Amino acid sequence: MASLTALVFLPLFEFFFFPASASVSTDPTTDCSYYSLLDHLNLTGSSNIQSLMRPVKNWTTFTHVQLDILLFGILDVDEKSQTVTNHLWVSMYWTNEFLTWNASDFCGINYVSIPRSMLWIPDIVIQQDASDTGSIHNGPLLTLNSSGWVFSRALQRLTYTCQLNLLNFPFDTQHCNITFSSMSFDARTMRLGTLTDDTVLTAISNQMMITKGEWTLRNMEVVRDQSNTGNEYPSYLIYMITLERKPLLYLVNFIIPLAYLLGLDLASFFISASSGEKLSFKVTILLSISVLLLILQDMLPSTEDCLPWIASYCVAIFALVGISVLEAMLVSFLSHFGDHCGKDAQSSVDAQEDIQLEVGFRKGSAQGDSLKAASAVKTIFPVCHSEPAGDEEKSPVTPEKSSNPLDWPGVRDLLKRILDELKTARLEAGGKKNEKRQSGFCKSSNMDNVSQSAVLQ
């Protein structure tokens, strides 16, 4: 780093302060003091004429001011306020045509330091500057060359506005401009330029960078003013600084957790809806995504011009998880609704079967009573119901048997016991069916119907 800096600035100092044409005088009568040099330049008196006017001998001659900046640190990039804070070293060069001397006449003195208040200084400002005056530290002295070149240095903590494009956040690259211009002079009297190539300035800045944070300096490009010829507008010198964000922190702490939460939501489809934990699990994931959205809101500005892709990514995941929560609610509702409808249908089927059994039981009892009455009538009135003699001789008399199975001994008591056992079994099965789905209910119902029909048969 030191060798690169010396390689750049050593030729400048040799050119400004040690010209090749200068020869050192060895005359012992020559005054070699700085006072004699300042007296020769008329800077020892109380007159401040050198600090009042632009230092040119012909007023039509413009003053060429050269500005070089070095970036020592990227302190902060505020997306909410759209500002960037950098640590800058500003070097400014210009020519004073009244302050020249022959170095050989003053024992080879090629440069001298003069207080800032004694000379005219260009009123150069930064148009995007949003920092206070306390952040600028100007050097107390100016360096004057025997050829009339004046060198000024300033160390500044510059906070400047920048239109940040956050569409690709956090994989974004920002281009910010630092524009130098004069507040009092137009392009006919003052023109701005650079002394060092922008590629060299970028290399030195990367070597001398103290702090970068989450940003990397990619390039410093100089955009010179193209409208300097004879107009009344000020001359501009624009440095376009290209910064690239390091996205690893946001990738680990924001993007990957969102994708992980989406994967958990998709995996929740394997959770049984009857367990009761599926809906609460999905709501927890939705709340976690809401927290990440609040963090994103604190980082990004409130703008409607362009929605960052990461915001669209978060909104899409939030919408998918929200739809998943609604789906879980709908499935839970349909499941409970189906169990309720199946229970009502089974109750109606059971009631219908009970009615049929009661009707069949009563019908069998009525038939048995009617047969008994007919038998009694035959006993009381044997003549009316006697058969012809011929028929009696042909067929022997056999004991009368009832064709109704309900007249068999013990059949009615058996049917009552079966009916009671069926009712008890239905009540026990009804408690277990609340934990089963409708498909299981339909299967058990069909088996009950088959068993009942078999018993009746």
Side-chain angles (χ1 to χ4, degrees):
M1 179 180 68
S3 60
L4 181 59
T5 305
L7 183 63
V8 174
F9 286 101
L10 184 59
L12 301 178
F13 279 93
E14 289 179 352
F15 175 76
F16 289 140
F17 306 131
F18 301 98
S21 60
S23 60
V24 179
S25 175
T26 58
D27 189 358
T29 61
T30 304
D31 190 356
C32 296
S33 65
Y34 285 107
Y35 181 82
S36 62
L37 176 60
L38 295 178
D39 185 65
H40 172 74
L41 298 175
N42 297 324
L43 296 176
T44 57
S46 60
S47 176
N48 57 353
I49 190 67
Q50 289 288 348
S51 63
L52 297 179
M53 64 180 66
R54 189 168 58 92
V56 291
K57 296 179 179 179
N58 186 353
W59 70 274
T60 58
T61 303
F62 65 88
T63 301
H64 191 199
V65 180
Q66 295 176 320
L67 287 163
D68 290 343
I69 64 172
L70 293 176
L71 204 62
F72 283 172
I74 304 173
L75 304 181
D76 183 37
V77 177
D78 193 350
E79 291 86 0
K80 297 288 288 186
S81 60
Q82 299 279 293
T83 57
V84 180
T85 302
N86 290 334
H87 191 197
L88 298 179
W89 180 275
V90 183
S91 302
M92 185 165 52
Y93 313 88
W94 70 94
T95 303
N96 192 321
E97 297 180 0
F98 298 103
L99 302 178
T100 59
W101 69 91
N102 189 359
S104 61
D105 296 338
F106 298 93
C107 301
I109 298 177
N110 288 300
Y111 65 94
V112 64
S113 297
I114 303 173
R116 295 178 64 91
S117 60
M118 296 181 63
L119 296 181
W120 176 87
I121 300 175
D123 57 341
I124 304 299
V125 295
I126 299 176
Q127 294 186 356
Q128 295 87 1
D129 189 6
S131 55
D132 53 8
T133 56
S135 62
I136 303 175
H137 302 281
N138 293 313
L141 300 175
L142 300 175
T143 302
L144 179 62
N145 183 290
S146 60
S147 301
W149 277 86
V150 184
F151 174 55
S152 173
R153 289 164 292 186
L155 189 63
Q156 183 175 0
R157 185 180 186 273
L158 177 63
T159 300
Y160 58 97
T161 59
C162 179
Q163 185 67 33
L164 301 178
N165 184 9
L166 301 175
L167 180 63
N168 297 323
F169 175 87
F171 306 95
D172 54 332
T173 301
Q174 304 299 334
H175 303 278
C176 299
N177 294 336
I178 299 178
T179 305
F180 295 91
S181 65
S182 174
M183 295 184 64
S184 305
F185 301 96
D186 55 20
R188 294 176 296 183
T189 56
M190 183 184 295
R191 297 182 185 178
L192 304 181
T194 59
L195 183 65
T196 310
D197 185 67
D198 51 4
T199 305
V200 178
L201 293 176
T202 302
I204 298 176
S205 297
N206 283 323
Q207 290 291 331
M208 301 178 66
M209 188 77 67
I210 299 174
T211 177
K212 298 180 181 180
E214 60 178 286
W215 296 89
T216 302
L217 176 63
R218 287 301 180 190
N219 189 25
M220 290 174 56
E221 182 181 357
V222 177
V223 181
R224 293 178 177 86
D225 187 17
Q226 302 296 329
S227 58
N228 288 332
T229 57
N231 55 43
E232 298 180 356
Y233 296 99
S235 176
Y236 296 98
L237 178 64
I238 302 175
Y239 279 89
M240 181 181 294
I241 299 177
T242 303
L243 303 176
E244 184 177 358
R245 193 192 302 268
K246 301 174 183 177
L248 181 61
L249 183 64
Y250 298 95
L251 189 66
V252 173
N253 294 336
F254 199 85
I255 298 178
I256 293 180
L258 277 175
Y260 179 71
L261 290 176
L262 181 61
L264 286 179
D265 180 72
L266 294 177
S268 65
F269 283 100
F270 296 99
I271 301 177
S272 176
S274 60
S275 62
E277 299 294 334
K278 183 175 183 180
L279 184 59
S280 60
F281 181 76
K282 288 180 175 291
V283 172
T284 303
I285 294 177
L286 191 65
L287 293 177
S288 302
I289 297 176
S290 301
V291 173
L292 293 178
L293 286 177
L294 292 177
I295 297 174
L296 182 64
Q297 182 182 2
D298 295 335
M299 292 188 298
L300 299 180
S302 301
T303 176
E304 297 181 359
D305 295 337
C306 56
L307 188 65
W309 291 114
I310 191 171
S312 303
Y313 171 71
C314 295
V315 171
I317 291 181
F318 187 83
L320 290 176
V321 176
I323 294 174
S324 177
V325 171
L326 294 177
E327 178 268 338
M329 295 172 62
L330 181 61
V331 169
S332 178
F333 171 76
L334 293 177
S335 177
H336 287 81
F337 182 77
D339 291 342
H340 180 72
C341 293
K343 185 176 181 180
D344 292 343
Q346 179 64 21
S347 300
S348 62
V349 171
D350 293 343
Q352 185 176 1
E353 291 177 354
D354 292 341
I355 293 173
Q356 291 178 356
L357 289 174
E358 292 289 342
V359 170
F361 181 74
R362 293 177 181 178
K363 184 177 180 181
S365 299
Q367 290 179 355
D369 294 339
S370 61
L371 290 175
K372 289 181 180 181
S375 174
V377 169
K378 289 180 180 180
T379 305
I380 297 172
F381 303 101
V383 179
C384 298
H385 297 277
S386 60
E387 296 294 333
D391 296 335
E392 292 179 354
E393 293 177 358
K394 293 180 181 179
S395 60
V397 178
T398 60
E400 183 181 358
K401 294 183 181 180
S402 176
S403 62
N404 190 359
L406 294 176
D407 293 336
W408 298 348
V411 172
R412 296 181 184 180
D413 296 335
L414 179 60
L415 288 178
K416 286 182 180 181
R417 287 195 300 269
I418 293 173
L419 182 60
D420 293 337
E421 290 178 0
L422 286 176
K423 289 181 179 179
T424 304
R426 290 194 191 99
L427 293 177
E428 293 177 356
K432 296 180 180 179
K433 286 173 185 174
N434 293 329
E435 301 177 357
K436 298 180 180 179
R437 301 188 61 88
Q438 184 63 27
S439 58
F441 166 76
C442 295
K443 182 177 179 181
S444 61
S445 177
N446 292 332
M447 292 179 66
D448 291 342
N449 293 334
V450 171
S451 61
Q452 293 174 7
S453 60
V455 170
L456 294 177
Q457 291 175 0

